Amino acid sequence: MPPQTDTKNQSAATMQPAGAAPVRSRYFYKILAIVYKDITAELRTKEMLSAMFVFSLLVIFIFNFTFDLRTDNAATLAPGVLWVAIAFAGMLGLGRSFIVERDRGSLEGLLLAPVDRSAIYFGKFLGNVIFISVVEVGILPLFIVFFNQPLAVVPALVGVVVLGTIGFAGVGTLFSAMVVHTRARDVLLPILLFPVVVPVLLSAVRLTAGILDALPLEDIQSWLGLLITFDVIFLAASFILFEYIVEE
Amino acid sequence: MSAISSASKKPAGLINWGNGLTLASAIVIITGLYLAFIFAPPAANLRTPAEQFAQRIMYFHVGAAWVGFFAFFITFISGVLYLSKRTFYWDNLGYASVEIGLTFMTMVLITGSIWAKPTWNTWWTWSPRLTISAIGWLMYIGYLMLRGAMDDPSRRATFAAVYGIVSFISVPINFLAIRWWRDIHPAVVGSSAGEGSGGFDMSADMRTTLLFCVFAFTIFYVTLMYHRLKLGKTMHEIETVKQQILHQ
């Protein structure tokens, strides 16, 4: 139970003269508690992670025979295949994120918890990032194998995947909290989310292509800048707007 | 009941804002048609008659595109104001602007395709402007679907406001991303040359016509908004009265 050991550390920290730091770490602790709850719940069933992983594998396989992937065209199609697989699997996970809370009746409990609403947002967001990342950890080696890529690209690829996932999950968490109150629920999420995250997908695909082609950093710098800009702007916007979404 | 009767009693005479605006837009649109078809000279740099005729669609196409994106901006503003003021007026304004914006955006896509066929020899190409218009169109659809999937009026208004804000913020980033994407890959069907033909080499008469059409479409937008806002208000009043009667 890592969060509990954290509490002890925190209470030890609060013994010190009061300052801004303990308050902030208490906020982090609350975020971690929500993340911890999500991970525990998921580890007991593992239904979402396995569904996301299998689904992303299926996406790669379907691309393989619909686009007639061969060694000569694999390099051009590989970035797109990777990101469509991540986006679709991520969509599954994001859709479940709040629907599960609602169906189990735990959404009210979560909202009644004596924490700042932004802590709920960040907790859910981090949980989603972790779930999508776990799936990515599964897909990336297979991607390297299936598309015959050198292992040297992995570190840079991981960086791009993390940045892309943050942008995707940032808006995704906000919209996921929104669609849970609608009639169409998870059907509506991709319709709302995909047009907004076009810049994330586009820059992530361009960066991935640049890495696989071993382009120098200057050639793909602007895409990196765009991806980071998107992440920052949309995390900030979602953080502000989340409060309005969950009010009862 | 008094709410309805007072609303329907007001426009007693022929001279009121609604009729005035309707008349004004009839005049400017007909003048716009005259300017586009008769006053504006045929484009000198286009050879086939089909291209020359199709070029005239540009005046209304640009006008509609301007309104299509301007309506987005109005939805964004009314979303922000709704979240701070929580009055029906701002919700009504945002909703009305999306409906009308969607109509104009549809017109942009259709007129653009009609123009592109003789000019580019294809109905559609994934140039930045085309892509951003298509994504904008999809966002409008998403907004309407989100509203349609909710019953609770105040929650519907809040969520719609949030979606209006998030999607508007993404428009410039989207635009940047799509522009760079095509700049890095310039090997598309002469799109840069085709795009340019809307903007360069315009004679003074052509420029006058274009500016007038943009103005005419703005007037037309304001007129449609005026009537749509009134309709929305009446619907809201009827709903209020209905609830009063049901709960008596």
Side-chain angles (χ1 to χ4, degrees):
Chain A
M1 300 270 274
Q4 284 203 345
T5 50
D6 274 0
T7 344
K8 277 171 198 154
N9 291 343
Q10 244 93 72
S11 49
T14 38
M15 295 300 172
Q16 308 297 320
V23 175
R24 209 169 60 213
S25 40
R26 237 180 288 143
Y27 184 75
F28 280 129
Y29 164 67
K30 285 169 183 166
I31 294 176
L32 284 180
I34 293 168
V35 176
Y36 179 73
K37 168 197 82 66
D38 275 358
I39 292 175
T40 314
E42 178 54 32
L43 285 182
R44 288 193 183 143
T45 60
K46 300 182 191 70
E47 55 185 14
M48 197 172 79
L49 277 176
S50 48
M52 283 164 76
F53 181 66
V54 174
F55 186 71
S56 57
L57 270 186
L58 283 171
V59 170
I60 293 182
F61 292 161
I62 287 168
F63 266 107
N64 187 35
F65 58 78
T66 48
F67 281 139
D68 191 17
L69 286 178
R70 295 176 306 274
T71 39
D72 56 324
N73 67 5
T76 27
L77 295 175
V81 174
L82 176 69
W83 280 97
V84 170
I86 291 176
F88 282 13
M91 193 65 72
L92 275 188
L94 289 170
R96 301 293 293 163
S97 175
F98 277 90
I99 286 173
V100 164
E101 298 273 0
R102 174 96 166 181
D103 288 351
R104 289 175 188 155
S106 53
L107 188 59
E108 281 75 18
L110 190 62
L111 295 179
L112 284 172
V115 295
D116 200 64
R117 289 286 157 87
S118 62
I120 298 178
Y121 170 75
F122 279 124
K124 282 308 232 178
F125 162 72
L126 270 182
N128 284 328
V129 169
I130 289 169
F131 290 145
I132 300 174
S133 304
V134 168
V135 174
E136 287 162 348
V137 167
I139 307 176
L140 272 180
L142 293 171
F143 174 76
I144 299 284
V145 170
F146 286 149
F147 290 91
N148 193 24
Q149 296 298 331
L151 279 173
V153 300
V154 170
L157 211 53
V158 167
V160 172
V161 163
V162 167
L163 282 177
T165 308
I166 289 174
F168 191 71
V171 195
T173 306
L174 177 76
F175 286 176
S176 171
M178 224 152 90
V179 296
V180 75
H181 296 290
T182 64
R183 255 178 275 118
R185 307 227 292 190
D186 36 357
V187 183
L188 202 54
L189 184 63
I191 295 169
L192 299 182
L193 187 53
F194 275 130
V196 175
V197 296
V198 164
V200 171
L201 293 179
L202 207 49
S203 45
V205 165
R206 296 322 317 161
L207 282 169
T208 309
I211 291 165
L212 296 186
D213 291 345
L215 292 181
L217 183 64
E218 298 90 71
D219 287 9
I220 49 174
Q221 224 171 19
S222 51
W223 288 112
L224 190 62
L226 186 79
L227 187 54
I228 293 170
T229 310
F230 184 96
D231 284 3
V232 171
I233 291 178
F234 277 87
L235 263 185
S238 305
F239 163 75
I240 295 165
L241 292 170
F242 186 75
E243 204 180 314
Y244 295 101
I245 293 297
V246 290
E247 66 190 7
E248 289 296 321
Chain B
M1 286 303 213
S2 59
I4 298 178
S5 46
S6 70
S8 57
K9 242 182 257 166
K10 239 193 293 173
L14 266 175
I15 300 165
N16 57 43
W17 274 105
N19 287 343
L21 280 167
T22 310
L23 186 68
S25 23
I27 292 169
V28 290
I29 291 288
I30 290 168
T31 315
L33 280 170
Y34 168 79
L35 290 176
F37 280 109
I38 297 159
F39 174 74
N45 58 331
L46 302 174
R47 294 203 190 87
T48 67
E51 278 182 77
Q52 290 197 341
F53 283 123
Q55 185 270 330
R56 293 181 188 276
I57 216 169
M58 182 267 288
Y59 302 113
F60 273 40
H61 176 74
V62 172
W66 149 250
V67 170
F69 283 104
F70 181 68
F72 237 132
F73 176 66
I74 296 294
T75 304
F76 168 71
I77 296 290
S78 46
V80 172
L81 287 168
Y82 177 80
L83 289 184
S84 67
K85 296 209 161 53
R86 306 282 175 159
T87 50
F88 168 75
Y89 178 79
W90 296 112
D91 179 43
N92 193 18
L93 186 71
Y95 185 27
S97 194
V98 164
E99 277 190 353
I100 294 165
L102 177 65
T103 314
F104 279 96
M105 201 58 101
T106 311
M107 188 175 156
V108 172
L109 296 178
I110 294 172
T111 52
S113 289
I114 295 171
W115 173 81
K117 186 63 184 168
T119 316
W120 292 343
N121 200 24
T122 173
W123 295 108
W124 187 266
T125 169
W126 293 102
S127 99
R129 286 177 207 203
L130 273 69
T131 314
I132 192 79
S133 306
I135 293 172
W137 190 82
L138 284 169
M139 283 175 178
Y140 276 133
I141 296 282
Y143 180 98
L144 292 179
M145 287 183 77
L146 177 65
R147 284 195 81 104
M150 277 182 292
D151 297 318
D152 177 17
S154 77
R155 180 172 273 162
R156 183 170 60 210
T158 311
F159 285 17
V162 168
Y163 189 65
I165 293 169
V166 172
S167 50
F168 180 78
I169 297 174
S170 83
V171 167
I173 305 179
N174 253 321
F175 191 73
L176 209 61
I178 293 159
R179 254 199 121 73
W180 284 350
W181 173 39
R182 285 312 183 192
D183 277 358
I184 288 171
H185 281 265
V188 268
V189 207
S191 78
S192 55
E195 263 182 36
S197 78
F200 73 92
D201 260 9
M202 281 209 295
S203 70
D205 285 351
M206 288 165 91
R207 193 165 294 126
T208 310
T209 308
L210 182 62
L211 285 176
F212 186 83
C213 284
V214 168
F215 167 72
F217 269 72
T218 312
I219 298 284
F220 190 36
Y221 168 74
V222 172
T223 309
L224 288 176
M225 280 299 278
Y226 178 85
H227 291 295
R228 179 62 186 79
L229 282 174
K230 233 170 111 176
L231 189 66
K233 195 164 154 257
T234 312
M235 277 157 66
H236 181 66
E237 279 164 1
I238 290 172
E239 191 56 36
T240 315
V241 172
K242 193 174 133 195
Q243 293 302 325
Q244 278 169 6
I245 293 169
L246 285 175
H247 293 290
Q248 253 170 12

